[in-house]
């Protein structure tokens, strides 16, 4: 792809980068190739070849694995002649029974409802397209897919399952069930399906607006609005209070509304929640009638002292380093935008991209608590229950994800000026 400021006519098919607003002329991408933004390096388009058949097959296989994962036993634990068998949603059910409904709802949505909805929504779009039919409500369904994608955390749940098994090895004998292996396949299939999904299957390449506009390398410089749903470029009409895309009817805006206030509010909220999340215990392990509470740092130290230091380091990174680093990076990006800094624009854009990417991995501890609460229910022998710290930490995870999504990375380049 070439930048659009190198062309002199407006009849070519062009698109704007979602992360920096730079215009690019769309050219044919060979199978297996991809196009990156020449300014910020973000992915513009990717051609994996035969996208429709591949994505459809992957989602059908994922749906089949969903059924298997929720039909057969997931994990079994044997201790002192007693056995406890769980299904995929046992952790959620246990949290509800222990009066931790809010925590259970979060685990249910991120580990089952949203991933299943994502798969079904993709099938709703792809099956009619395979038959040459455009499904009704296509834009609405695609917006739902984009909105729930950051909340589909099956890969994080898989890591939590492995950590839970490692933590229980010194307590009992763990036997994986059929659903456990179906779940591993499900994680791989849903990741491959999402990576293969291409919005160009829904909408063709767009052309530049034919109305007279200003010149410039970005959409905002030419007074165009870029639709984040279907990538259509339309002239900005100042006389319309709430413009919508003429093709997919999505709300249009040059930049995210009230982004500064919303992002700062979420950053401050997450920082305040982080304090009790690390001070209060997140779970209590009761063995033979005696309870032992554990904080996040206490759980990490237990893993390291037990010789499982690789898992301890993973939990350390996911539960402490990532949340703190994410808050510091978002605060730094906010301040740099407010100060209109031109310092290392591409590096700051890359920093934001990685911050948004790893944010969901902080859910490891929440999933771990749900898994242990569902698996370890042996009455007087041993039980595991969540504590207040888990609820505060869940709040940290949710607010930091919302904070990252409320930040508009295009502001980094707006402050840098068009010459950058």
């Amino acid at each position: 792809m070439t930048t659009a400021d190198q062309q002199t006519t407006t009849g070519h098919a062009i698109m704007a980068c979602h992360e920096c607003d730079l215009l690019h002329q769309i050219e044919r991408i060979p199978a297996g190739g991809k196009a990156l933004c020449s300014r910020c390096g973000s992915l513009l388009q990717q051609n994996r070849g035969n996208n429709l058949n591949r994505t459809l097959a992957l989602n059908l296989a994922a749906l089949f694995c969903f059924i298997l994962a929720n039909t057969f036993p997931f994990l079994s634990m044997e201790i002192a002649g007693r056995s406890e068998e769980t299904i995929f949603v046992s952790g959620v059910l246990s949290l509800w029974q222990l009066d931790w409904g809010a925590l259970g709802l979060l685990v249910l949505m991120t580990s089952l409802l949203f991933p299943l909805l994502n798969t079904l929504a993709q099938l709703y779009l792809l099956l009619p397209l395979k038959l040459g039919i455009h499904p009704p409500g296509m834009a609405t369904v695609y917006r739902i897919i984009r909105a729930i994608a950051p909340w589909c955390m099956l890969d994080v749940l898989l890591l939590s399952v492995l950590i839970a098994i490692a933590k229980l090895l010194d307590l009992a004998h763990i036997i994986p069930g059929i659903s456990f292996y179906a779940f591993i396949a499900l994680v791989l299939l849903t990741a491959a399906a999402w990576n293969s999904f291409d919005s160009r299957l829904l909408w063709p390449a767009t052309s530049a607006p034919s109305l007279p506009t200003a010149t410039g390398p970005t959409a905002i410089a030419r007074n165009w609005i870029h639709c984040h749903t279907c990538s259509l470029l339309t002239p900005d009409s100042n006389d319309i209070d709430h413009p919508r895309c003429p093709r997919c009817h999505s709300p249009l805006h040059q930049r995210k509304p009230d982004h500064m206030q919303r992002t700062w509010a979420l950053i401050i909220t997450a920082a305040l929640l982080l304090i009790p999340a690390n001070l209060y215990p997140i779970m209590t392990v009761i063995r033979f009638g005696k309870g032992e509470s554990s904080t996040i740092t206490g759980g990490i130290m237990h893993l390291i002292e037990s010789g499982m230091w690789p898992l301890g380091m993973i939990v350390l990174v996911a539960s402490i380093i990532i949340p703190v680093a994410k808050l510091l990076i978002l605060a730094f990006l906010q301040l740099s935008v407010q100060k209109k800094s031109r310092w290392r624009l591409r590096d700051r854009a890359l920093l934001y991209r990685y911050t948004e990417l790893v944010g969901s991995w902080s859910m490891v501890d929440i999933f771990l608590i749900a898994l242990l609460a569902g698996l370890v229910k042996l009455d007087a022998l041993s039980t595991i229950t969540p504590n207040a710290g888990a609820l505060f930490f869940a709040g940290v995870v949710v607010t930091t994800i919302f904070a990252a999504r409320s930040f508009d990375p295009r502001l980094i380049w707006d402050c840098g000026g068009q010459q950058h």
Side-chain angles (χ1 to χ4, degrees), residues 11-209:
H12 299 286
I14 63 174
M15 69 176 297
C17 175
H18 286 275
E19 293 193 15
C20 74
D21 206 39
L22 185 68
L23 297 171
H24 292 79
Q25 180 178 337
I26 298 176
E27 299 175 358
R28 182 177 178 83
I29 303 174
K34 59 183 178 181
L36 303 178
C37 176
S38 59
R39 181 161 72 167
C40 71
S42 65
L43 180 65
L44 296 174
Q45 287 184 355
Q46 190 168 7
N47 184 6
R48 295 188 175 275
N50 200 17
N51 286 63
L52 178 57
N53 292 334
R54 176 186 289 109
T55 311
L56 183 57
L58 289 170
N59 278 288
L60 287 172
L63 182 60
F64 177 71
C65 288
F66 259 114
I67 298 173
L68 290 180
N70 288 275
T71 304
F72 297 96
F74 188 66
L75 291 173
S76 299
M77 185 180 73
E78 295 181 355
I79 178 174
R82 292 191 56 180
S83 177
E84 183 72 27
E85 189 176 81
T86 65
I87 58 176
F88 189 72
V89 295
S90 291
V92 175
L93 297 176
S94 296
L95 291 176
W96 279 96
Q97 293 170 357
L98 294 169
D99 295 328
W100 290 88
L103 208 59
L105 182 61
L106 176 63
V107 173
L108 178 66
M109 290 190 300
T110 54
S111 65
L112 181 63
L113 294 184
F114 284 159
L116 180 59
L117 179 60
N118 191 291
T119 298
L120 293 175
Q122 290 187 56
L123 288 174
Y124 174 83
L125 297 176
L126 297 174
L127 282 172
L129 290 175
K130 180 64 177 178
L131 302 174
I133 304 171
H134 283 273
M138 187 169 61
T140 301
V141 174
Y142 182 67
R143 286 201 302 271
I144 292 174
I145 292 174
R146 291 281 299 271
I148 66 176
W151 302 96
C152 299
M153 303 181 184
L154 291 177
D155 48 354
V156 184
L157 177 59
L158 177 58
L159 176 61
S160 300
V161 171
L162 298 177
I163 295 175
I165 294 175
K167 286 178 70 70
L168 293 175
L169 285 178
D170 59 345
L171 177 67
H173 179 55
I174 306 299
I175 304 173
I178 296 176
S179 291
F180 174 76
Y181 299 105
F183 172 66
I184 294 176
L186 174 63
V187 174
L188 299 176
L189 288 169
T190 52
W194 178 247
N195 194 37
S196 179
F197 189 84
D198 191 347
S199 61
R200 291 180 299 170
L201 297 171
L202 310 178
W203 295 284
T206 60
S207 298

Side-chain angles (χ1 to χ4, degrees), residues 126-317:
L126 297 174
L127 282 172
L129 290 175
K130 180 64 177 178
L131 302 174
I133 304 171
H134 283 273
M138 187 169 61
T140 301
V141 174
Y142 182 67
R143 286 201 302 271
I144 292 174
I145 292 174
R146 291 281 299 271
I148 66 176
W151 302 96
C152 299
M153 303 181 184
L154 291 177
D155 48 354
V156 184
L157 177 59
L158 177 58
L159 176 61
S160 300
V161 171
L162 298 177
I163 295 175
I165 294 175
K167 286 178 70 70
L168 293 175
L169 285 178
D170 59 345
L171 177 67
H173 179 55
I174 306 299
I175 304 173
I178 296 176
S179 291
F180 174 76
Y181 299 105
F183 172 66
I184 294 176
L186 174 63
V187 174
L188 299 176
L189 288 169
T190 52
W194 178 247
N195 194 37
S196 179
F197 189 84
D198 191 347
S199 61
R200 291 180 299 170
L201 297 171
L202 310 178
W203 295 284
T206 60
S207 298
S210 57
L211 296 178
T213 55
T215 59
T218 62
I220 195 172
R222 299 192 184 190
N223 202 30
W224 295 345
I225 300 182
H226 174 222
C227 177
H228 274 241
T229 301
C230 69
S231 299
L232 182 68
L233 290 165
T234 57
D236 187 7
S237 300
N238 296 324
D239 56 337
I240 301 178
D241 293 334
H242 303 286
R244 289 187 172 270
C245 176
R247 180 163 66 179
C248 69
H249 307 294
S250 300
L252 296 177
H253 45 75
Q254 288 282 15
R255 297 294 181 264
K256 294 179 181 179
D258 302 324
H259 48 84
M260 280 293 177
Q261 299 90 328
R262 185 183 297 110
T263 306
W264 273 124
L266 290 168
I267 290 174
I268 295 171
T269 301
L272 293 175
L273 289 173
L274 196 60
I275 298 173
N278 284 275
L279 292 179
Y280 287 104
I282 61 171
M283 65 179 178
T284 298
V285 180
I286 301 174
R287 294 184 181 181
F288 304 105
K290 295 183 179 180
E292 180 182 353
S293 299
S294 173
T295 61
I296 295 176
T297 54
I300 295 171
M301 294 303 299
H302 175 73
L303 287 172
I304 295 175
E305 291 172 356
S306 301
M308 295 179 286
W309 62 267
L311 291 179
M313 294 306 296
I314 292 174
V315 177
L316 172 65
V317 171

